[in-house]
Amino acid sequence: MTETSVSSTRKQRARNKGGLSGLLHRSENLRGYLLMSPTLLVMSIGILAPFLILVTMSLWTRDGFSFDTALTMANYERAWTEPIFGALLKRSFWISGIATVVTVALCYPMAYYVAFHVHRNKMMWIILMTLPFWTSYLLRVFAWKVILGYEGVINSGLMVVGLIEEPLEFLLYSREAVIITLAHAWAAFAILPLYVSLEKIDKSLLEAATDLGDGPVARFLRVTLPLSLPGIIAAAFLIFIPTTGDYITPALLGGPDGAMIGNFIQLQFGPVNNWPMGATLSIVLMLWVSAIALVFLFITRLAKDKIA
Amino acid sequence: MDVVDQLGAMREGKMSRRAFTRSLLASGVAIASVPVGARRAMAAAEDQGTYFTWGGYDIPELFQPYNEANGELPNFAVFGGSEEALTKMRGGFVVDVSHPCNSALPRWVKTGLFQSIDTSRLSNWPDVMPELVDLPGNMAEGNDIWMAPFDWGQTSITYRTDLIDLEGEEESWDILWDPKYKGKLGSLGAGADAWWIGAIKAGVPFDQLDTPEAFEKIAAVMREQRPLIRTYTDDNTTLEQALSSGEMVASMTWNSSAVQLQAEGVPVKFAKPKEGALTWVCGLMVHKDAPKLDKAYEIIDSLISVESGKFLIGDYGYGHSNKKAFDEFDEETLTGLGLSKNPIEILQAGHFQIPQTQEWETKMNEMFEQIKAGF
């Protein structure tokens, strides 16, 4: 029996049955949509609807206590022309870019060690590394405030040792403080993808490299590093994207020079009382992050092709 | 029998598959219903009113009468600035009582989010100073009272007497603009205080704040100050700790920071600047949809009671709206706290905020935020 005849008899049988099950049998598409529908529903309610609300609101303007719902690009014009917004965006990308590099650079050796040099209880090591992330983000930020503070652990430690006489003031309320805190606060998101990509590397490739005369450094640069590239990219994305919009860390540790775009978005929704502008800035941030991510992806695709 | 035992029993054929499923179902129901039971056990908090207030006002000392009557404290929600609070309520956050200040009063009334106060339901109302009730905007429509006054005080400079040498000169707002103390000065972060201090420093009278020239003059003063400021925050604890460690030598604060630091033996003084301090009255407003209206009145009555007043005056150094609360202190103590039995004297000695329009408020906040961010 050919396939068409199978389906045609099935269709006939279904037609005979009639009713809902018949309908289900008749339409492959409908069945597909039904299977998808819970996911579709969650996505629409949880992601699509809020996003559409945000986009719509960004086209409104503030009118005293309410909104002027006439659609206009005025907010986007402001975001484009007023220097503060561009400068804050640049500052945010700079801070979270450095935080991303620092985080990945610090987490790579840890992930490497667990992937290549730990042979028993690997899971326990991974859990140990993620242990700090079992407490609230806010608590970790506050902990850094205590560590970096004027009478904090670092300053008092250095003073006891006698390396400094006056507490170092740049430690807290600075961009450096924001970078240090972000690098620690998001480390778990870097360790896990790095570990997974390093773990996946076929050890026989390393043996082959050794057999062909590569030393440890050349072996790392020619085999391990390129093969762990997907993990590095994933880790960088997982850190860069959320940290550009972070506002808790800059608010608590940044001081006057450490404010980021997230703080300004929060202010628009809070004291400044201009929700449409806040929505606009959120969308602008989203667009920029997407653009940067695309460029980044494109470059890594090129690099990968070269390696291959 | 726990799940592992059950699995074993089933494997050995002692327990039918169906019985196993049933017992699993039973334990599932038991687990799912735990939160319900537990919630019922702690049900009291749900019966209490919610008080939306500044950090530092969410403490048992201010709710003795309420606690005696209900055996519980009210629920607290905390904000860092009143504009933030208003935005949150406009976004649909419903509370019973909230805590704005006089300069915001007409705008808060205008949102339509509040109901006027039935003072006959407050046992302590006859002792409330009438001068504090009669504020611009409080009787916006006829004789309705929108805000029950509760606390009043000043925004001024708390400075370390051992680290700042005035060289015989009078106390002045110039301390917070002195390049000598660069990086060792603090400021409140909300425009509701900082911008007005800027106006005092720039010499702009409060009844002319709404002009472009005033905005320019004040902005210039705030920009001049910004590089000197270590951090802007509305978190009193941050400012108090920084002052006590010497990280900051002076900061714009409210009365309470100075009083609390003095109590800890830190050599600080709450300045009486020659240009005048900023004075304010804050109070309590009832949400129009207050889910626990009775409790809302109990919260207000508790806050304006003599017991609360005694704590507020003695421990925070703020003025209180209940005139009987002042009788608990002698004149000398009050003078030491920068207060007086005649609060109008104090209020008139400083600059009293004049309510502004929503447009002004938004423009001011935005400009101040830009200046703080370095523009």
Side-chain angles (χ1 to χ4, degrees):
Chain A
M1 213 186 269
T2 60
E3 216 178 305
T4 36
S5 64
V6 170
S7 68
S8 70
T9 43
R10 211 181 266 164
K11 265 185 202 158
Q12 253 164 15
R13 221 179 285 152
R15 219 170 280 143
N16 295 341
K17 262 194 197 162
L20 184 66
S21 65
L23 189 74
L24 278 181
H25 278 285
R26 266 200 306 277
S27 167
E28 296 261 344
N29 281 351
L30 185 66
R31 248 190 299 169
Y33 282 126
L34 274 180
L35 264 178
M36 240 165 66
S37 58
T39 330
L40 211 63
L41 197 73
V42 170
M43 294 287 274
S44 328
I45 296 175
I47 296 176
L48 200 63
F51 181 72
L52 287 179
I53 293 172
L54 203 66
V55 171
T56 320
M57 188 174 272
S58 75
L59 297 171
W60 293 351
T61 42
R62 193 188 56 86
D63 181 19
F65 271 125
S66 52
F67 306 116
D68 181 351
T69 54
L71 301 183
T72 159
M73 292 296 280
N75 291 331
Y76 287 93
E77 244 178 82
R78 250 194 89 191
W80 186 254
T81 49
E82 273 184 37
I84 181 163
F85 300 120
L88 280 177
L89 265 175
K90 242 184 262 166
R91 190 192 285 174
S92 306
F93 291 143
W94 177 245
I95 288 179
S96 70
I98 295 187
T100 306
V101 172
V102 171
T103 317
V104 174
L106 287 178
C107 293
Y108 197 91
M110 288 195 251
Y112 184 88
Y113 182 78
V114 177
F116 287 101
H117 296 286
V118 174
H119 300 294
R120 295 176 56 214
N121 288 334
K122 280 195 181 189
M123 219 43 230
M124 190 194 74
W125 280 77
I126 295 286
I127 290 171
L128 278 179
M129 284 195 289
T130 57
L131 209 60
F133 307 92
W134 295 13
T135 68
S136 133
Y137 181 60
L138 204 57
L139 277 181
R140 273 175 275 146
V141 177
F142 269 118
W144 276 104
K145 204 174 170 182
V146 174
I147 294 170
L148 299 170
Y150 190 77
E151 290 186 321
V153 180
I154 295 182
N155 270 331
S156 31
L158 288 175
M159 277 165 77
V160 166
V161 179
L163 279 172
I164 52 168
E165 288 188 351
E166 283 272 295
L168 301 171
E169 288 185 354
F170 70 89
L171 283 178
L172 191 60
Y173 304 128
S174 62
R175 287 176 203 186
E176 289 79 11
V178 178
I179 291 170
I180 293 171
T181 309
L182 287 177
H184 171 256
W186 293 89
F189 294 86
I191 288 177
L192 294 177
L194 286 172
Y195 167 75
V196 169
S197 73
L198 285 166
E199 181 67 27
K200 272 199 319 205
I201 292 175
D202 188 350
K203 305 287 182 295
S204 58
L205 291 173
L206 295 170
E207 279 167 29
T210 319
D211 291 344
L212 293 170
D214 267 354
V217 176
R219 200 172 56 192
F220 173 77
L221 289 178
R222 281 165 36 145
V223 182
T224 317
L225 190 62
L227 286 176
S228 64
L229 206 58
I232 295 177
I233 295 165
F237 273 135
L238 282 175
I239 301 195
F240 183 76
I241 294 172
T243 52
T244 40
D246 192 272
Y247 70 94
I248 298 170
T249 305
L252 288 173
L253 300 167
D257 288 316
M260 286 163 70
I261 192 77
N263 300 90
F264 238 70
I265 294 175
Q266 189 257 336
L267 287 166
Q268 299 290 339
F269 282 105
V272 174
N273 204 343
N274 191 349
W275 296 11
M277 194 64 212
T280 307
L281 290 178
S282 314
I283 302 241
V284 168
L285 176 63
M286 213 185 294
L287 289 174
W288 270 105
V289 169
S290 317
I292 292 176
L294 281 178
V295 169
F296 199 55
L297 268 184
F298 181 71
I299 293 173
T300 46
R301 176 78 49 86
L302 280 186
K304 244 190 198 165
D305 288 348
K306 226 175 207 174
I307 291 165
Chain B
M1 196 190 267
D2 72 7
V3 174
V4 179
D5 291 337
Q6 287 174 358
L7 274 175
M10 195 181 76
R11 210 173 286 134
E12 288 161 27
K14 282 185 210 152
M15 196 177 185
S16 77
R17 204 170 282 265
R18 190 170 296 164
F20 174 70
T21 320
R22 207 184 304 134
S23 86
L24 259 191
L25 180 74
S27 62
V29 169
I31 289 168
S33 52
V34 163
V36 179
R39 209 178 295 140
R40 195 162 299 147
M42 319 183 287
E46 284 176 24
D47 297 333
Q48 306 306 322
T50 304
Y51 178 38
F52 193 27
T53 186
W54 307 78
Y57 287 91
D58 47 343
I59 48 170
E61 286 84 344
L62 293 172
F63 292 94
Q64 285 173 36
Y66 187 97
N67 204 351
E68 276 161 29
N70 296 294
E72 281 275 335
L73 290 176
N75 297 310
F76 297 112
V78 172
F79 56 75
S82 64
E83 207 55 25
E84 171 198 328
L86 186 63
T87 310
K88 200 167 168 188
M89 286 185 281
R90 281 183 52 225
F93 186 60
V94 178
V95 297
D96 293 295
V97 178
S98 189
H99 188 180
C101 299
N102 64 293
S103 67
L105 184 53
R107 285 186 301 111
W108 279 45
V109 172
K110 229 177 164 179
T111 59
L113 277 175
F114 304 92
Q115 52 178 293
S116 58
I117 291 174
D118 178 2
T119 53
S120 66
R121 294 176 74 168
L122 298 168
S123 66
N124 291 311
W125 188 257
D127 300 327
V128 167
M129 299 176 188
E131 297 91 337
L132 298 177
V133 179
D134 187 18
L135 299 167
N138 205 15
M139 300 192 195
E141 292 161 32
N143 276 326
D144 286 345
I145 288 167
W146 295 93
M147 183 174 94
F150 159 45
D151 55 329
W152 53 272
Q154 299 189 313
T155 308
S156 183
I157 312 159
T158 300
Y159 68 97
R160 287 278 297 255
T161 49
D162 55 336
L163 298 174
I164 283 192
D165 185 10
L166 291 175
E167 292 160 3
E169 282 190 41
E170 258 187 283
E171 292 167 337
S172 154
W173 283 109
D174 294 342
I175 295 174
L176 290 184
W177 270 264
D178 192 337
K180 231 186 349 202
Y181 307 121
K182 185 172 192 261
K184 291 195 165 288
L185 301 170
S187 174
L188 291 169
D193 289 285
W195 193 260
W196 297 79
I197 301 296
I200 297 174
K201 165 79 182 163
V204 177
F206 281 5
D207 56 359
Q208 292 166 29
L209 280 177
D210 197 14
T211 59
E213 300 81 56
F215 264 104
E216 243 167 69
K217 261 186 169 173
I218 299 168
V221 163
M222 301 314 282
R223 285 202 182 96
E224 188 194 328
Q225 185 192 34
R226 185 202 171 263
L228 311 176
I229 296 290
R230 177 129 173 86
T231 191
Y232 292 92
T233 176
D234 287 322
D235 174 14
N236 291 338
T237 317
T238 300
L239 293 176
E240 284 156 23
Q241 282 172 351
L243 281 165
S244 98
S245 70
E247 182 178 7
M248 285 178 194
V249 296
S251 174
M252 180 196 302
T253 71
W254 297 306
N255 313 45
S256 64
S257 296
V259 174
Q260 298 209 318
L261 286 169
Q262 280 165 355
E264 287 165 25
V266 183
V268 292
K269 201 170 165 229
F270 194 57
K272 286 197 180 72
K274 61 179 181 204
E275 302 91 344
L278 182 70
T279 48
W280 43 262
V281 177
C282 300
L284 309 156
M285 286 177 85
V286 179
H287 197 284
K288 75 169 168 29
D289 300 321
K292 301 260 182 332
L293 196 56
D294 292 341
K295 296 284 193 279
Y297 279 102
E298 282 186 53
I299 290 174
I300 297 177
D301 216 20
S302 187
L303 286 169
I304 62 174
S305 67
V306 174
E307 290 94 324
S308 298
K310 203 178 153 190
F311 172 80
L312 202 67
I313 295 167
D315 285 61
Y316 277 7
Y318 288 138
H320 190 252
S321 61
N322 192 319
K323 54 185 169 227
K324 283 192 181 155
F326 287 87
D327 298 337
E328 306 273 328
F329 299 89
D330 53 48
E331 200 64 52
E332 199 186 334
T333 315
L334 288 178
T335 315
L337 291 166
L339 294 168
S340 153
K341 287 211 179 184
N342 180 7
I344 302 310
E345 254 170 45
I346 308 283
L347 289 174
Q348 282 171 350
H351 298 266
F352 201 61
Q353 286 177 317
I354 301 170
Q356 304 288 330
T357 61
Q358 183 59 39
E359 286 308 309
W360 182 89
E361 200 73 27
T362 300
K363 192 175 165 197
M364 177 275 286
N365 273 312
E366 181 135 70
M367 199 178 270
F368 183 46
E369 293 305 337
Q370 296 213 10
I371 291 169
K372 280 198 283 179
F375 287 82

